[in-house]
């Protein structure tokens, strides 16, 4: 196989064969195909796209570049949820224990903050002692014993994606639907799943700003996942303001705990239930959406999901009951009267980064105690001087975040119509 021929073939809009994609990916991982040829192929894919069959082939070969979970035959279905990333998105922390209480196994490999969006691993690391570096064997043990585990990707999972993602980042080839699809699915399918639900976010705090782009990505993920033999569904969910009220690390864990104890914000519960229902229906663990919803709600109402989260945290070395420090809060006040017309969720994510709740550079240490609490929502009427948000931060480091949070709100005179929170494909 001459890599130049394959690059030219894709450049000219032709379809690559499975064996050609396989040879290219294995050559790249082995080092016989250099970064510059992989960059050229990534750009050709960015410009020409890929069919579902080609995308599935790329996903399969990336997946095969590393280790995968090996599960014993039989037993309850293995399921997971993947979100394309948002601000205040703590759904994984709720959903993993809720699904485990319904009898499913949830081996959830999560990530750290990316751009302005927070990462589940960073949030969970605000729990004293919690380990996010479980080996595959340790993670499997926790899933078998508890029903769910949330940990980071090990070095041996999908090395092709680790190499290719870093290259895409510096060659302007990140926003390519086939490349994003293969990147996300190869990592998720390494978990050896039976069913997967994708939470594809749209709006000011999302990777995909428009519903059209989110829909195109969701369709590509569903078609490719299905072609690869995994029950795959997707929902589009609104990220035009943070999900729930809290954005940060310890404050998001606190909000997750409160939600599992029955006093969470309705939008967070709604998205969590909608995604959970997809998995219960996909696996046949619920006959209808309504019964799936009741099943999931019951795990919260009985306290079982909270207990399950505490059990998972303990199995991963943490103590959910240990205090999590939260920095002192100050309120940001409205400077205008009117309705909240828009909330720039990405600005809020950047404000958390300015508070060291997210990273500016690779390897930055985080301050888990910082964050933001939303005190109003889109479409709400506000008066001059009314608190819009609360910033949790040491007094000396609030300046940039205060500016960003204040700038994230815009106002209008007439009450705007709120769009739907969850959209089916
Ligand atoms: N998340 C991923 O894991 N990969 C992408 O390509 C984009 C978002």
């Amino acid at each position: 196989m001459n890599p130049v021929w394959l690059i030219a073939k894709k450049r000219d809009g032709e379809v690559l064969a499975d064996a050609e994609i396989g040879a290219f990916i294995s050559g790249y991982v082995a080092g016989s195909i250099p970064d510059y040829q992989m960059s050229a192929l990534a750009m050709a894919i960015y410009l020409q796209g890929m069919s579902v069959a080609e995308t599935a082939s790329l996903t399969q070969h990336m997946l095969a570049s590393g280790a995968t979970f090996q599960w014993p035959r039989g037993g309850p279905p293995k399921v997971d949820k993947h979100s394309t990333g948002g601000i205040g998105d703590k759904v994984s922390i709720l959903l993993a224990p809720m699904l485990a209480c319904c009898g499913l196994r949830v081996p959830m490999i999560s990530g750290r903050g990316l751009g302005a969006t927070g990462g589940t691993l960073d949030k969970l690391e605000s729990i004293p002692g919690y380990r996010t570096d479980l080996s595959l064997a340790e993670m499997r043990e926790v899933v078998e014993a508890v029903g769910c585990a949330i940990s980071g990707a090990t070095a041996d999972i999908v090395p092709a994606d680790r190499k290719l993602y870093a290259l895409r980042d510096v060659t302007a080839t990140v926003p390519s639907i086939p490349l994003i699809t293969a990147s996300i699915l190869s990592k998720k399918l390494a978990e050896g799943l039976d069913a997967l639900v994708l939470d594809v976010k749209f709006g000011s705090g999302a990777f995909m700003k428009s519903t059209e782009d989110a829909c195109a990505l969701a369709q590509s993920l569903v078609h490719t996942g299905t072609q690869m033999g995994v029950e795959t569904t997707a929902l589009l969910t609104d990220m035009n303001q943070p999900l729930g009220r809290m954005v940060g690390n310890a404050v998001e864990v606190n909000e997750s705990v409160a939600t599992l104890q029955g006093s969470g914000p309705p939008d967070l519960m709604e998205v969590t239930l909608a995604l959970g229902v997809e998995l219960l229906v996909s696996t046949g663990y619920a006959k209808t959406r309504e019964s799936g919803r009741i099943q999931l709600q019951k795990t919260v109402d009985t306290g079982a999901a909270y207990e399950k989260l505490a059990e998972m945290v303990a199995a991963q070395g943490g103590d959910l009951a240990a205090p999590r420090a939260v920095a002192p809060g100050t309120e940001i006040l409205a400077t205008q009267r009117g309705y909240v017309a828009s909330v720039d969720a990405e600005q809020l994510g950047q404000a958390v980064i300015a508070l060291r709740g997210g990273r500016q550079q690779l390897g930055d240490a985080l301050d888990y105690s910082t964050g933001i609490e939303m005190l109003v929502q889109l479409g709400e009427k506000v008066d001059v001087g009314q608190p819009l948000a609360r910033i949790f931060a040491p007094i000396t480091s609030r300046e940039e975040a205060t500016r960003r949070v204040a700038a994230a709100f815009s106002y209008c005179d007439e009450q705007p119509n709120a769009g739907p929170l969850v959209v089916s494909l």
Side-chain angles (χ1 to χ4, degrees):
M1 189 252 336
N2 181 342
V4 180
W5 297 342
L6 298 196
I7 296 167
K9 201 170 165 185
K10 188 38 76 185
R11 177 200 64 199
D12 297 339
E14 290 177 47
V15 172
L16 298 179
D18 177 63
E20 292 173 329
I21 295 171
F24 211 104
I25 293 298
S26 53
Y28 179 55
V29 174
S32 59
I33 292 183
D35 279 349
Y36 56 82
Q37 285 182 317
M38 189 70 235
S39 307
L41 183 66
M43 185 56 83
I45 293 171
Y46 174 87
L47 294 170
Q48 295 289 358
M50 274 184 146
S51 67
V52 171
E54 282 177 296
T55 310
S57 196
L58 178 60
T59 309
Q60 181 57 47
H61 291 295
M62 284 172 62
L63 172 64
S65 72
T68 54
F69 274 80
Q70 300 302 321
W71 298 98
R73 287 176 86 80
K78 286 92 56 192
V79 302
D80 197 5
K81 181 264 328 176
H82 176 82
S83 153
T84 54
I87 313 294
D89 180 4
K90 55 208 63 88
V91 169
S92 297
I93 303 173
L94 309 177
L95 194 54
M98 286 164 73
L99 292 167
C101 287
C102 294
L104 294 166
R105 286 183 286 181
V106 192
M108 198 178 261
I109 293 181
S110 290
R112 300 197 178 275
L114 188 67
T117 65
T120 301
L121 298 184
D122 296 330
K123 295 169 200 185
L124 287 170
E125 283 178 355
S126 70
I127 301 172
Y130 190 90
R131 280 185 57 208
T132 57
D133 62 349
L134 303 186
S135 66
L136 290 190
E138 285 175 318
M139 196 163 167
R140 212 183 71 186
E141 268 173 39
V142 176
V143 173
E144 296 291 19
V146 179
C148 56
I150 307 181
S151 191
T154 58
D156 48 356
I157 282 193
V158 198
D161 182 63
R162 196 159 307 115
K163 234 180 139 180
L164 180 54
Y165 195 89
L167 196 64
R168 286 166 58 210
D169 207 19
V170 292
T171 56
T173 51
V174 170
S176 150
I177 284 184
L179 293 177
I180 296 173
T181 301
S183 168
I184 291 175
L185 286 183
S186 59
K187 286 174 289 195
K188 284 285 137 180
L189 301 193
E191 297 168 359
L193 300 179
D194 299 295
L196 173 66
V197 64
L198 297 141
D199 178 5
V200 182
K201 303 215 172 270
F202 63 89
S204 64
F207 194 40
M208 297 288 175
K209 304 290 178 208
S210 72
T211 39
E212 291 73 23
D213 287 348
C215 190
L217 176 57
Q219 279 174 341
S220 168
L221 287 161
V222 169
H223 293 151
T224 309
T226 306
Q227 168 120 353
M228 295 185 70
V230 176
E231 283 291 333
T232 311
T233 59
L235 295 176
L236 309 185
T237 68
D238 188 299
M239 189 31 71
N240 282 302
Q241 61 185 334
L243 188 61
R245 304 291 169 270
M246 298 295 189
V247 188
N249 295 298
V251 290
E252 287 200 39
V253 172
N254 293 348
E255 187 172 46
S256 305
V257 166
T259 306
L260 289 182
Q261 289 173 335
S263 57
D267 59 339
L268 175 60
M269 199 58 195
E270 184 54 39
V271 171
T272 305
L273 288 173
L275 291 162
V277 162
E278 291 293 313
L279 290 170
L280 288 181
V281 171
S282 289
T283 52
Y285 270 48
K287 294 246 174 323
T288 64
R289 300 202 127 66
E290 293 66 37
S291 67
R293 221 182 145 86
I294 292 168
Q295 232 176 295
L296 286 164
Q297 184 67 53
K298 206 163 143 193
T299 68
V300 175
D301 297 345
T302 57
Y306 170 71
E307 292 299 326
K308 187 59 79 184
L309 177 65
E311 197 186 340
M312 181 194 87
V313 167
Q316 294 191 219
D319 179 1
L320 195 58
R324 293 174 289 278
V326 174
T330 15
E331 288 173 350
I332 306 293
L333 308 180
T335 50
Q336 261 177 270
R337 181 162 201 254
Y339 293 94
V340 178
S342 68
V343 176
D344 185 343
E346 191 168 337
Q347 276 283 354
L348 299 177
Q350 293 296 353
V352 171
I353 292 174
L355 297 171
R356 296 204 302 114
R359 289 177 193 79
Q360 267 161 11
Q361 286 183 339
L362 221 62
D364 276 354
L366 299 189
D367 181 348
Y368 298 114
S369 73
T370 63
I372 299 169
E373 179 178 5
M374 297 294 287
L375 300 173
V376 295
Q377 288 203 288
L378 269 180
E380 229 173 274
K381 194 168 185 192
V382 293
D383 267 321
V384 177
Q386 182 177 333
L388 298 174
R390 188 174 287 124
I391 293 185
F392 301 102
I395 292 159
T396 48
S397 59
R398 287 179 185 162
E399 205 181 306
E400 181 183 343
T402 303
R403 201 169 16 84
R404 284 186 182 275
V405 173
F409 290 86
S410 78
Y411 309 87
C412 59
D413 294 332
E414 306 234 326
Q415 186 163 30
N417 289 329
L421 180 61
V422 177
V423 181
S424 298
L425 265 196

